[in-house]
Amino acid sequence: MSEITIRVLEGDQRGRVFARLTPPLTVGREEDNSIQLNDERVSRFHLKIQEDDGRLILTDLDSTNGTKINGHPVQMRVLQPGDLVTLGRAVLLIGSDEEILRGLPPLRPTRPGPAEDEMPVGHGTVRDLIEAIPGDEFLPAPGPAPGSEGSDGPLFRGGPPPLPEGLRVGQLACLSDVLSHLHHEISQVCQETSEDRQAGQTDMRCPRPTWHRLLVLQSQLASYLKQITDPPGAE
């Protein structure tokens, strides 16, 4: 029998990892579910995942608000590692890092490049961007982004939050490592995207392996946030 890992990327339990689950399993608002989500937009028994001939099958249990996989409404779908399942406010990532990366081609060797603070970003460098943060020239305009009807707008309306003050040198080093990791991964994803110009519009497209790397990064961010807000041993 297969085992499945499900990670919560968004929602009330963001950062939670449900590892080594064995199907059949259900997800919903009631305690009797294998994964319980405290969300009024999630039905009591929202969806089930079962195994058939070595494949994992997701079925929406006639939920009130429906289920989406990779942004598309579904009633039944064969799941693949890396699929994003949305129900209510929750976003679930199917598969562990190893399962998602196992089917991806090897990463290309990274060619030597400029120092991180001199790396080109937009019309300047990373240093230029950091120095401009107190201003508003790099900040998005308030309100929903184009094509995101119903968006609540920016998460931080006053601009990016400031770094914490008064950290010890060891804490600063750890924070530097985390930010360097995130900066490197996002830079790699940006380098692997390409422009697609059609009918006077420009869309940015990325290969599926690059998209999977972005999912892994989002999962890592959710894990960091959970460790900060719910550290081990906290009552």
Side-chain angles (χ1 to χ4, degrees):
M1 179 176 293
S2 301
E3 293 182 340
I4 181 174
T5 297
I6 298 178
R7 292 175 287 181
V8 184
L9 300 186
E10 298 291 345
D12 182 67
Q13 298 198 56
R14 181 179 62 186
R16 180 82 180 272
V17 179
F18 298 89
R20 305 189 67 177
L21 297 174
T22 55
L25 61 93
T26 59
V27 182
R29 203 173 64 247
E30 290 288 321
E31 293 182 1
D32 292 338
N33 287 282
S34 308
I35 298 178
Q36 181 188 17
L37 298 174
N38 183 23
D39 184 343
E40 70 276 7
R41 298 185 184 182
V42 173
S43 296
R44 294 172 60 249
F45 293 91
H46 197 104
L47 63 84
K48 71 176 179 180
I49 299 175
Q50 62 196 75
E51 184 180 12
D52 181 69
D53 194 24
R55 294 173 295 184
L56 291 173
I57 312 297
L58 179 147
T59 304
D60 181 90
L61 299 175
D62 294 324
S63 63
T64 302
N65 294 307
T67 301
K68 293 182 179 180
I69 296 182
N70 302 328
H72 299 280
V74 299
Q75 182 63 38
M76 180 178 289
R77 177 70 66 86
V78 176
L79 289 174
Q80 301 290 339
D83 280 343
L84 287 176
V85 179
T86 302
L87 59 162
R89 297 182 179 87
V91 178
L92 311 180
L93 175 61
I94 303 299
S96 64
D97 291 349
E98 293 78 11
E99 290 169 334
I100 294 174
L101 296 174
R102 189 179 300 151
L104 304 183
L107 297 178
R108 299 192 303 271
T110 303
R111 61 178 180 271
E116 285 189 349
D117 59 350
E118 294 298 330
M119 184 175 293
V121 175
H123 299 291
T125 65
V126 171
R127 178 187 289 123
D128 297 330
L129 180 60
I130 292 175
E131 292 176 352
I133 283 177
D136 59 2
E137 53 268 45
F138 284 92
L139 300 180
S148 59
E149 183 177 353
S151 171
D152 292 329
L155 177 60
F156 299 102
R157 296 182 183 274
L163 291 172
E165 299 179 355
L167 296 181
R168 301 191 307 271
V169 63
Q171 293 172 323
L172 284 171
C174 291
L175 179 60
S176 175
D177 286 347
V178 170
L179 295 179
S180 295
H181 164 66
L182 299 178
H183 176 265
H184 173 76
E185 289 299 310
I186 292 173
S187 296
Q188 290 295 106
V189 169
C190 290
Q191 290 175 18
E192 293 172 13
T193 58
S194 60
E195 290 187 349
D196 183 18
R197 298 179 180 272
Q198 293 182 351
Q201 296 183 347
T202 301
D203 293 327
M204 299 303 295
R205 299 182 180 274
C206 67
R208 187 172 181 83
T210 303
W211 174 248
H212 280 168
R213 289 185 66 180
L214 198 58
L215 293 181
V216 171
L217 178 61
Q218 186 180 10
S219 176
Q220 183 64 64
L221 280 170
S223 177
Y224 283 147
L225 290 169
K226 179 173 175 58
Q227 291 176 48
I228 291 171
T229 58
D230 186 20
E235 296 182 358

